[in-house]
Amino acid sequence: MYFSKLFGKTLKEIPTEADSISHQLLVRAGMIQQVAAGVYAYMPLGWRTLRKIEQIIREEMDAAGGQELMMPSLQPLEIWEQSGRLSSFGKTMFTITDRKDHKLVLGPTHEEIITDLVRRYVQSYRDLPLLPYQMQNKFRDEPRPRGGLLRVREFIMKDLYSFDVDEKGLEMNYQRTVQAYKNIYSRCGLPAVMVEADSGAIGGKASHEFMLVTESGEDMIILCPKCGYAANTEKARSIKKKPASTKPLPLEEIATPGIKTIEEVARFVGIDKNNTLKAVFYVADGDIIFVTIRGDIEVNETKLKNILKCTDLHLAADAEVKAAGLVAGSASPIGLKNIKIIADESITTGGNFVAGANKPDTHLKNVNYPRDFTATIVADIATASAGDQCPGCDGILQSQNGIEVGHVFKLGTFLSERLGAYFLDSNGVSQPIIMGCYGIGVGRLLAAAVEQNHDEKGIIWPLPIAPYQVYLCGLRLEDATVSQTAETVYKGLIAKGIDVLFDDRIESPGIKFNDADLLGIPLRLTISPRALQNKSVEAKWRQEKQAQMLPLDGIIDAVEKMLTDKSKR
RNA sequence: CGGGGUGUAGCGCAGUGGCUAGCGCGCAUGGUUUGGGACCAUGAGGUCGGUGGUUCGAAUCCACUCACCCCGACCA
């Protein structure tokens, strides 16, 4: 490709809209362009990289036994009603009405469609297992798109689905896919970490996410440096420090004028936060819920949501709290009636807590569970945090931000039962097909690769996903010797099947070198009068400081060797 | 959905009631330059996000509205 003919321009200045590094660099490099909030066009350079990533994914999916297919983006609304996932997607679903007043959705994913296709095809256990996959646009009306390609409303996603006759088959396909994912990330230059994840309201037995650890990530992950335990905060378990155990003392009322928050209570009474009980009010599908947890711990809403099995959960608004007759700031589980109380397990460790008294400006001392109150449900609803002890060993947990670059689920039989995907087993008994699904956001992976691989000058593409492998830079192209040599080298490299971007512009060296760095093409070849005097060409890896001089004679083979050596490493 | 912010040339910005709306980058033409974003000259490019209002007069004041960004809520 001749740079002078390229559709797309580099920008010297950072676009105001761009906040994350990947967004800034991708826009400045002319690889993507925003069309609407969370909607982007891939310009030729960006599209080349995207296609290279797709190809890597495709190769790994095929190697794992996958079969690629194509499914529609337009999907009938009914199938989503049937699967019961219309409400779980809620407003995130783009819906449209056709001219016959028929409701359709722009598919946010394709589990429903693929299950329907499989249902029509599979009759016997002999038709299984199946591993279909697809890479295509999905649509989600996210409440807030952000970070350039990191969270968008229209995006290309690879989804692989597994259909098996038994748990053993599911487990095998799960493990094979996990391995394929690891291969994909390493080929894209991403050190992704596999973590335990929440599978959401959809259910399923197990779920893992692949995370790229980085500051700009919107997810929080918990890691144990000692045993390798890793989980999304939504899912993470931990062992909290236990307060010293004491003998239960008699309940005692204390006046606490103007004292509301846990910090204030602890300071006022002169105790640690872990000797207090916190009260938090939620509304779950319209019902007010009283949640109590030790004062030093935060409620994990994902865990709470899973326990309540509700689709909507939010913190109660002041009006909702008042209407339920609760006293914010001095609320207490003691003496409450006709209200669901969910307690965290932490209340069973420690005792003689200070809690609210359900009277303004009053708290209770020496509250003990279960002597003074009972809970409807006692469960783990605690947020694990850095500094807690690992649930699996005596290590101390750490927390990091991460970008989710892949998610695998063991779905089980939820969807196959809902949508009627059954098969006859070898005994002639009808069984629901056991499903798994495995997703990778391709555009997000591209953005993550930039977040991970850049410097102050620009992107540093890993060789396998660079839009071009070689940046051929001609200096003083009005010099016929230079331009003829550059042209010959360009043609020679192309003949070898090497992707070359030939900077044939009449520009100053500074502009060309800066653009080369910004675009992040792995290998830069410079052809200039100065180098040609010694019958040589300068070669420089983007990621290295030092350039080297190669003899012009045999330059094509030398470059080819450099590239193949590089890709072996 | 709540809070905050921004909309003026392709990009980044200045312009708080007064004449023909500016600057830098980029772009076009000519010339001088040429190994890390060169210089000179000339030039093209604007519904000042939109609608309505106030005023002799509005990019500027008021109301409504739209778009985009950030924080939160939310989010496979």
Side-chain angles (χ1 to χ4, degrees):
Chain A
M1 182 70 200
Y2 291 95
F3 199 122
S4 63
K5 300 202 185 334
L6 189 65
F7 180 25
K9 258 188 198 164
T10 56
L11 296 176
K12 205 185 285 185
E13 306 195 69
I14 301 168
T16 356
E17 317 272 75
D19 204 47
S20 67
I21 294 285
S22 61
H23 192 191
Q24 292 177 359
L25 290 176
L26 287 169
V27 172
R28 284 189 54 213
M31 299 186 85
I32 59 169
Q33 224 172 95
Q34 185 169 18
V35 174
V39 179
Y40 287 84
Y42 285 87
M43 299 300 282
L45 282 175
W47 185 240
R48 284 185 72 93
T49 286
L50 196 98
R51 272 167 40 215
K52 288 201 175 181
I53 296 174
E54 281 186 344
Q55 189 52 33
I56 288 171
I57 295 174
R58 191 169 280 128
E59 286 166 18
E60 295 295 337
M61 289 298 105
D62 289 345
Q67 303 183 54
E68 188 172 7
L69 81 167
M70 170 77 179
M71 288 186 271
S73 294
L74 280 175
Q75 305 175 3
L77 186 75
E78 289 92 51
I79 198 164
W80 287 90
E81 287 171 338
Q82 217 181 327
S83 73
R85 296 213 297 173
L86 185 60
S87 61
S88 41
F89 273 93
K91 285 189 169 168
T92 303
M93 189 95 84
F94 277 109
T95 53
I96 53 173
T97 308
D98 71 12
R99 61 169 76 200
K100 291 173 188 157
D101 251 1
H102 188 82
K103 286 239 160 66
L104 296 164
V105 308
L106 288 173
T109 179
H110 287 76
E111 277 89 61
E112 274 69 5
I113 300 292
I114 192 69
T115 307
D116 189 57
L117 295 176
V118 166
R119 174 181 73 86
R120 292 160 195 268
Y121 165 79
V122 171
Q123 292 173 309
S124 145
Y125 71 96
R126 292 169 195 267
D127 296 326
L128 295 168
L130 281 174
L131 280 176
Y133 75 95
Q134 35 114 235
M135 277 187 257
Q136 57 194 88
N137 287 22
K138 317 246 169 170
F139 301 83
R140 294 183 191 179
D141 198 356
E142 295 287 348
R144 183 147 94 85
R146 69 181 94 180
L149 293 183
L150 292 175
R151 180 169 292 277
V152 291
R153 297 193 297 169
E154 175 177 353
F155 56 100
I156 299 174
M157 180 160 121
K158 185 283 302 175
D159 242 340
L160 175 90
Y161 311 96
S162 67
F163 295 87
D164 283 287
V165 296
D166 55 21
E167 289 293 335
K168 217 176 102 192
L170 172 63
E171 184 58 33
M172 203 180 80
N173 279 323
Y174 197 79
Q175 293 311 331
R176 278 170 93 176
T177 312
V178 163
Q179 187 51 53
Y181 273 38
K182 289 179 177 169
N183 298 345
I184 291 165
Y185 299 125
S186 95
R187 289 175 69 180
C188 292
L190 289 173
V193 184
M194 182 165 150
V195 306
E196 289 179 19
D198 178 63
S199 51
I202 306 311
K205 294 173 192 69
S207 169
H208 290 90
E209 285 168 332
F210 291 84
M211 292 284 188
L212 175 69
V213 171
T214 165
E215 271 305 302
S216 56
E218 51 180 355
D219 285 294
M220 179 92 85
I221 56 178
I222 294 286
L223 304 159
C224 175
K226 193 163 176 185
C227 73
Y229 172 74
N232 191 310
T233 323
E234 293 180 345
K235 169 89 175 180
R237 291 165 290 120
S238 73
I239 298 169
K240 301 283 181 185
K241 283 199 192 80
K242 287 180 185 149
S245 62
T246 45
K247 272 201 178 136
L249 299 170
L251 212 54
E252 190 183 321
E253 207 168 85
I254 49 171
T256 51
I259 304 291
K260 288 192 189 303
T261 67
I262 288 294
E263 277 78 19
E264 289 165 355
V265 170
R267 202 177 324 122
F268 183 83
V269 186
I271 50 172
D272 278 343
K273 285 200 287 183
N274 64 16
N275 275 117
T276 65
L277 288 186
K278 188 191 288 187
V280 193
F281 320 115
Y282 285 92
V283 174
D285 292 342
D287 297 329
I288 189 112
I289 306 285
F290 188 105
V291 174
T292 184
I293 191 166
R294 227 171 57 197
D296 59 320
I297 309 173
E298 298 301 320
V299 175
N300 181 324
E301 294 188 7
T302 306
K303 289 182 182 177
L304 180 60
K305 199 169 170 180
N306 288 341
I307 282 160
L308 292 168
K309 294 187 175 59
C310 60
T311 50
D312 178 65
L313 180 76
H314 62 264
L315 276 171
D318 290 350
E320 290 169 314
V321 173
K322 272 213 180 104
L326 297 168
V327 187
S330 288
S332 165
I334 299 165
L336 278 187
K337 284 185 185 125
N338 306 325
I339 188 164
K340 204 179 237 185
I341 301 174
I342 312 293
D344 182 59
E345 288 167 354
S346 58
I347 65 159
T348 64
T349 64
N352 293 330
F353 291 111
V354 171
N358 285 332
K359 275 199 273 185
D361 300 327
T362 314
H363 279 76
L364 291 173
K365 253 170 106 167
N366 304 330
V367 172
N368 288 279
Y369 178 87
R371 185 190 71 183
D372 303 320
F373 69 98
T374 55
T376 320
I377 301 172
V378 178
D380 171 20
I381 51 167
T383 301
S385 35
D388 291 352
Q389 191 191 319
C390 174
C393 74
D394 61 356
I396 300 301
L397 296 175
Q398 299 176 346
S399 72
Q400 307 248 223
N401 286 2
I403 297 172
E404 179 190 348
V405 289
H407 201 159
V408 296
F409 296 84
K410 290 182 185 170
L411 287 179
T413 56
F414 174 87
L415 277 176
S416 44
E417 282 171 26
R418 285 297 186 99
L419 298 172
Y422 289 82
F423 67 96
L424 285 185
D425 68 16
S426 52
N427 301 316
V429 179
S430 183
Q431 305 275 7
I433 305 176
I434 298 176
M435 293 176 58
C437 77
Y438 315 85
I440 290 182
V442 185
R444 185 185 279 183
L445 193 58
L446 183 152
V450 177
E451 293 282 340
Q452 179 70 25
N453 302 289
H454 69 269
D455 63 13
E456 68 289 348
K457 285 282 191 180
I459 305 170
I460 306 174
W461 288 113
L463 187 56
I465 62 171
Y468 291 93
Q469 297 164 285
V470 173
Y471 191 97
L472 179 62
C473 189
L475 299 186
R476 311 258 342 218
L477 284 162
E478 57 281 21
D479 179 326
T481 321
V482 175
S483 62
Q484 279 163 22
T485 308
E487 193 69 33
T488 309
V489 171
Y490 176 56
K491 296 267 161 61
L493 290 170
I494 286 180
K496 288 278 189 183
I498 294 167
D499 295 333
V500 198
L501 181 61
F502 175 20
D503 191 344
D504 59 330
R505 299 172 300 172
I506 307 292
E507 290 286 0
S508 69
I511 288 179
K512 295 191 171 205
F513 290 151
N514 278 300
D515 275 346
D517 289 345
L518 176 59
L519 296 186
I521 312 293
L523 183 60
R524 189 185 77 194
L525 294 182
T526 307
I527 295 184
S528 65
R530 191 209 274 176
L532 284 184
Q533 275 182 353
N534 303 319
K535 295 205 164 17
S536 60
V537 172
E538 183 201 89
K540 181 185 167 298
W541 290 108
R542 173 65 177 86
Q543 65 191 155
E544 282 165 22
K545 271 220 161 85
Q546 215 50 44
Q548 51 182 303
M549 300 310 289
L550 302 176
L552 178 59
D553 194 33
I555 184 72
I556 306 295
D557 291 335
V559 167
E560 189 183 32
K561 185 164 186 310
M562 283 176 81
L563 292 171
T564 47
D565 286 354
K566 186 82 170 181
S567 55
K568 273 182 208 147
R569 260 183 277 147

